[in-house]
Amino acid sequence: MSTPRNLWANRLRTDFRAALGLLAVLACIPFFVTSPYSLGIVIVSMYFAMLAMGWNLLAGFTGQFSLAPAAFAMLGAYTTGLLNYHWQAPLALGLPAAVLGTALVGWALGRLILRLRGPYLSLTTLSFAEIARVVISNSHEFTRGDQGLNVPTLMQSRVGYYYLFLAVLALTLVGLYLLMRSKVGRFWLAIRDDSIGAETRGIDVVRYKTLAFGLSCAICGFAGALYGTFSQLVSPELGLLLQTGLVISMVVIGGIGTLTGPILGALLVYLSSEWLREIGGIQLIVFSALVIIFARFFRTGLWGLVTSWRPRLKSAPDAAKEPT
């Protein structure tokens, strides 16, 4: 008889392989799509996929609902931009500094707030996100405020950027897969399912929550820093609550608590958003309605629907072979 641990390992392995297959499809797109504009849309969707994976690590695997993924992407982008603008630091220094800086801020914030539960945690992260955005917006002499800050580019090739984002997305996926297979990942799942029970079993709940929070912030910060070098301009709009809402909708629609769901949701939501913008800008209404529908009727998201249909599809040919 299979143990729950083996069932989880098999499900995680299937999830990981599906996510790799999705990335393999993305790797083939530049062979068929040559328009710089179209490639740019897919690059931005991969940026959102990184944010979605970072938020899903915290909410989907650890059960902590944060409203600050976009704010940490903004902080990562400004870390790289400000180091270059004021001190001419190269991107080889600015990008690691964005990862380290957002991880440290996330760790410090986590130590302060992760003893909170329910709406208090969400409201605290929302307050932090808005404070960070307002401070950056009003610090004209240091950050240039709403005018935005120019960031040097890593490369001129749009295709080169495409594969850079794809490589970072793949490394993030592999890293999360290895973490969820490890003891740390099992502790996160235990905390998500029953934090009080996990604490009675000897798990340092605050420590592992803080670790997840810091790692989630580092992923978002690196994604924001990369996006800043791609767009060559960062502004406080990166940290708008609207951006966080978009990230959450991607995870909910794709499948929260999975590896494939955030990537699938980011691609579908962002590409659909660009299409809907051309026919009237009703994307906010559509995605808000979809989030309500999925949260109410399809809590496992699109990936959950796919996995629930797989056994039925396999059993259909066997049933057809049975004699009548």
Side-chain angles (χ1 to χ4, degrees):
M1 182 179 293
S2 297
T3 64
R5 179 174 173 180
N6 290 334
L7 290 174
W8 160 248
N10 292 335
R11 188 161 60 246
L12 184 66
R13 189 181 304 111
T14 301
D15 189 6
F16 177 64
R17 289 173 178 173
L20 286 179
L22 189 55
L23 295 186
V25 173
L26 287 176
C28 298
I29 286 180
F31 294 104
F32 304 98
V33 178
T34 57
S35 168
Y37 175 76
S38 299
L39 289 178
I41 291 176
V42 183
I43 289 172
V44 177
S45 70
M46 287 192 284
Y47 156 71
F48 276 108
M50 294 177 206
L51 295 186
M53 293 175 75
W55 186 81
N56 182 60
L57 167 63
L58 193 61
F61 291 134
T62 317
Q64 306 303 305
F65 197 89
S66 167
L67 291 174
F72 279 99
M74 175 189 68
L75 291 176
Y78 267 96
T79 299
T80 301
L82 289 172
L83 284 174
N84 179 266
Y85 182 76
H86 289 289
W87 298 284
Q88 292 74 49
L91 293 178
L93 177 62
L95 291 174
V99 177
L100 181 61
T102 50
L104 289 175
V105 172
W107 179 86
L109 182 64
R111 295 295 296 180
L112 293 174
I113 68 174
L114 286 177
R115 296 182 186 274
L116 303 174
R117 291 189 175 94
Y120 300 103
L121 174 62
S122 302
L123 290 173
T124 305
T125 55
L126 173 61
S127 300
F128 170 81
E130 283 301 294
I131 290 171
R133 187 184 65 80
V134 171
V135 168
I136 288 176
S137 180
N138 291 322
S139 302
H140 300 281
E141 295 183 358
F142 187 65
T143 66
R144 293 175 52 86
D146 292 329
Q147 294 179 350
L149 185 69
N150 292 325
V151 181
T153 184
L154 278 170
M155 61 188 74
Q156 299 298 327
S157 170
R158 184 62 58 94
V159 175
Y161 255 113
Y162 183 96
Y163 283 110
L164 173 62
F165 271 77
L166 184 62
V168 173
L169 190 60
L171 288 174
T172 305
L173 172 65
V174 172
L176 290 179
Y177 172 68
L178 294 176
L179 276 172
M180 296 313 300
R181 280 177 53 91
S182 69
K183 180 176 68 174
V184 173
R186 293 194 296 273
F187 285 172
W188 284 338
L189 294 177
I191 293 169
R192 180 195 67 182
D193 295 336
D194 185 0
S195 61
I196 297 176
E199 192 167 11
T200 60
R201 293 295 184 92
I203 299 175
D204 190 339
V205 172
V206 174
R207 176 188 176 189
Y208 283 100
K209 281 183 179 180
T210 306
L211 176 62
F213 198 86
L215 183 57
S216 172
C217 295
I219 293 172
C220 294
F222 188 49
L226 273 182
Y227 176 78
T229 67
F230 170 69
S231 65
Q232 300 181 54
L233 180 70
V234 296
S235 71
E237 291 185 0
L238 282 175
L240 286 173
L241 182 60
L242 176 63
Q243 301 289 319
T244 291
L246 197 59
V247 171
I248 294 174
S249 69
M250 291 169 177
V251 179
V252 172
I253 293 172
I256 191 169
T258 67
L259 296 174
T260 306
I263 303 174
L264 180 63
L267 293 171
L268 292 178
V269 169
Y270 190 76
L271 296 178
S272 301
S273 175
E274 288 297 315
W275 177 67
L276 289 172
R277 185 177 288 117
E278 295 179 357
I279 62 174
I282 61 172
Q283 62 268 26
L284 292 180
I285 299 174
V286 173
F287 295 134
S288 299
L290 284 176
V291 168
I292 294 173
I293 292 171
F294 273 85
R296 176 62 181 85
F297 300 105
F298 310 105
R299 295 188 178 182
T300 55
L302 291 174
W303 177 242
L305 291 176
V306 171
T307 54
S308 66
W309 276 97
R310 284 181 66 225
R312 301 181 188 181
L313 294 175
K314 288 182 178 180
S315 61
D318 296 334
K321 294 177 182 180
E322 293 180 0
T324 57

